[in-house]
Amino acid sequence: MHEPIRLLIVDDHPVVRQGLRAYLELEADFDIVAEAGDGEEALAAIGEDEPDVVLLDLKMPGTDGQAVLERLGGDGPRVLVLTSATDSERVPAAIEAGAAGFVYKDIDPDALAAAIRTVHAGQTLLSPAAMRGLMSGGPAAAPELTPRESQVLGLIAKGQTNRQIARALGVSEKTVKTHVTNLLRRIGAADRTQAALWAVRHGVG
Amino acid sequence: MHEPIRLLIVDDHPVVRQGLRAYLELEADFDIVAEAGDGEEALAAIGEDEPDVVLLDLKMPGTDGQAVLERLGGDGPRVLVLTSATDSERVPAAIEAGAAGFVYKDIDPDALAAAIRTVHAGQTLLSPAAMRGLMSGGPAAAPELTPRESQVLGLIAKGQTNRQIARALGVSEKTVKTHVTNLLRRIGAADRTQAALWAVRHGVG
DNA sequence: TGCACCGCTGGTCTTAAGACCTGCGTCGGA
DNA sequence: TCCGACGCAGGTCTTAAGACCAGCGGTGCA
């Protein structure tokens, strides 16, 4: 009778956490012992709930995934980094800090379950080719925004309110809100402030 | 019987506009014909209300003061730039674009009235020494934030919410809000997004 | 001693923001 | 024709944000 793998899901977006929980709960050998929305909560959960494997998003406001890894110092649970195309430049540093591997957030459920079992078994999820691919080239590609979303993001990055953007573009505020909601989801930002900072980092606007 | 000087006040902060109106209304030879909260409103007001002198803040989200000056192309009303210690690096470009002078926002009311009359009379408010002082040295000095305000601003610039900041600093959210309110006023930002962008530009955080 | 500044915190209130529901019309491609 | 993407816009609802009222205690300076 083997013990289930105790999992902690760490991501600042409830949608991502819920999505991961929804399919990880279907695996009989997984036990999701906690969720955390930021690094501090994650560290607390690691202390209290003693997960075997942490699914850790690196990009979180405040105490982020990298800080968690550094606080752990290679001790404790195995850490599987959740990343996305826009954030993969952080992965090498995370591996350096003790992560046992990484998966893309849009990985299919079976592959994710397999990745969890692999790191739990003490292996790492690193192939030299994959690491080289990650480290080659310049900044990560920006996610695909529609032309209008890019335009709205550019104006957010100039500090405009939705109302101002609506006026500038000659559309309703409701329409702007829709674009904002959509672009936030695409770039993985929780709010406009993060979106503005993202835009600055990625040379938008 | 001479005509009053028709004034347009352009600043995105209602507090600033109200403050200016409060003391300019006391001058018998001034007639405040309009206010505007951003560059587009300003241009519309210039077309409709035909001010003689525009008191123009350069730093506004969206269509800013510089854009207004460029759109005017040196035609139309005399423009007196409202600036603050943190924004004086924009003044030379504004003068280049046709502004007739500049005053600091914290100027005393009598001096402001005199400045308005001066530019209205066709003169400029530029002394070579003042311009040299503006253009010498590097980036403008940051306004004086308290240590705590700087700290909070740094965390805003990392995309944190008030709640997250409160947790990170070990204080109440109420306290964070107070610091935010105070620092927004000091740096002249209308909201946290603008504050974050300001911080990025000024190397805070 | 009085005052200003600082950090902390409570309260009330308004509103901008954002999530999530919906639907329409246009366009392009299978 | 159907479907997805896109842009536009309506609706409902929650809540984070921010303004502005207040107060406390500590510190430093005139």
Side-chain angles (χ1 to χ4, degrees):
Chain A
M1 176 68 179
H2 71 270
E3 293 285 300
I5 303 175
R6 301 168 61 82
L7 299 179
L8 166 64
I9 302 173
V10 185
D11 196 290
D12 58 325
H13 297 111
V15 171
V16 174
R17 300 204 299 275
Q18 283 157 23
L20 291 174
R21 180 183 277 274
Y23 53 72
L24 292 176
E25 273 179 340
L26 300 181
E27 300 290 334
D29 57 331
F30 293 168
D31 175 24
I32 300 171
V33 297
E35 293 181 28
D38 65 23
E40 292 295 341
E41 280 176 26
L43 290 166
I46 289 166
E48 286 168 29
D49 299 298
E50 300 185 310
D52 300 309
V53 176
V54 180
L55 303 184
L56 181 67
D57 183 25
L58 291 179
K59 182 183 166 187
M60 292 186 286
T63 305
D64 65 6
Q66 182 72 20
V68 170
L69 284 162
E70 283 163 7
R71 291 269 281 275
L72 291 176
D75 291 339
R78 303 290 275 170
V79 177
L80 191 55
V81 167
L82 300 174
T83 190
S84 61
T86 62
D87 287 325
S88 48
E89 76 262 12
R90 300 176 184 226
V91 171
I95 305 298
E96 197 74 37
F102 70 93
V103 291
Y104 289 106
K105 281 183 185 175
D106 58 0
I107 191 172
D108 93 44
D110 289 341
L112 177 60
I116 289 167
R117 293 186 190 104
T118 298
V119 296
H120 181 238
Q123 292 165 38
T124 59
L125 275 176
L126 307 173
S127 75
M131 290 302 294
R132 273 196 301 271
L134 270 182
M135 293 193 282
S136 70
E144 299 291 328
L145 298 181
T146 69
R148 203 62 159 171
E149 286 164 3
S150 286
Q151 200 170 11
V152 169
L153 179 57
L155 294 175
I156 288 171
K158 286 182 177 161
Q160 289 198 13
T161 61
N162 290 339
R163 194 161 154 210
Q164 286 167 336
I165 294 169
R167 200 154 41 188
L169 301 182
V171 297
S172 78
E173 193 173 334
K174 179 68 234 174
T175 298
V176 173
K177 284 184 174 183
T178 301
H179 291 311
V180 172
T181 296
N182 291 338
L183 74 86
L184 289 179
R185 195 188 61 242
R186 283 196 216 271
I187 66 177
D191 55 48
R192 71 197 307 113
T193 305
Q194 289 177 19
L197 293 167
W198 187 96
V200 168
R201 287 198 310 268
H202 290 81
V204 176
Chain B
M1 177 70 180
H2 70 269
E3 293 285 303
I5 303 174
R6 300 168 62 82
L7 299 180
L8 166 64
I9 302 173
V10 185
D11 194 289
D12 57 324
H13 296 112
V15 172
V16 175
R17 299 203 299 274
Q18 283 156 22
L20 290 173
R21 179 183 278 275
Y23 55 72
L24 294 176
E25 273 178 340
L26 301 180
E27 300 291 335
D29 58 332
F30 293 169
D31 175 24
I32 300 171
V33 297
E35 292 181 30
D38 65 23
E40 291 295 343
E41 281 177 27
L43 290 166
I46 289 166
E48 286 168 29
D49 299 299
E50 300 183 313
D52 300 310
V53 177
V54 180
L55 303 184
L56 181 67
D57 184 25
L58 292 179
K59 181 183 168 186
M60 293 184 287
T63 305
D64 66 6
Q66 183 70 22
V68 171
L69 284 162
E70 284 163 8
R71 291 269 282 277
L72 291 177
D75 292 338
R78 303 289 275 172
V79 177
L80 190 56
V81 166
L82 300 174
T83 190
S84 61
T86 60
D87 288 324
S88 49
E89 77 262 10
R90 299 178 185 223
V91 172
I95 305 296
E96 197 72 38
F102 70 94
V103 290
Y104 289 106
K105 282 183 185 175
D106 59 0
I107 191 173
D108 91 47
D110 290 340
L112 177 59
I116 289 166
R117 293 186 190 107
T118 299
V119 296
H120 181 238
Q123 291 165 38
T124 58
L125 275 177
L126 307 173
S127 75
M131 290 300 296
R132 273 196 302 270
L134 270 182
M135 292 190 284
S136 69
E144 300 292 330
L145 298 181
T146 68
R148 203 61 161 172
E149 285 164 3
S150 287
Q151 199 171 12
V152 169
L153 180 57
L155 295 175
I156 287 171
K158 287 182 176 157
Q160 289 199 13
T161 61
N162 290 339
R163 194 161 156 209
Q164 286 166 337
I165 294 170
R167 200 155 38 191
L169 299 183
V171 296
S172 79
E173 194 175 332
K174 177 71 237 175
T175 299
V176 173
K177 284 184 177 185
T178 301
H179 291 311
V180 172
T181 296
N182 291 339
L183 75 87
L184 289 179
R185 194 188 60 243
R186 283 195 216 271
I187 68 178
D191 55 48
R192 68 197 308 114
T193 305
Q194 290 176 18
L197 293 167
W198 186 96
V200 168
R201 288 199 307 270
H202 290 80
V204 176

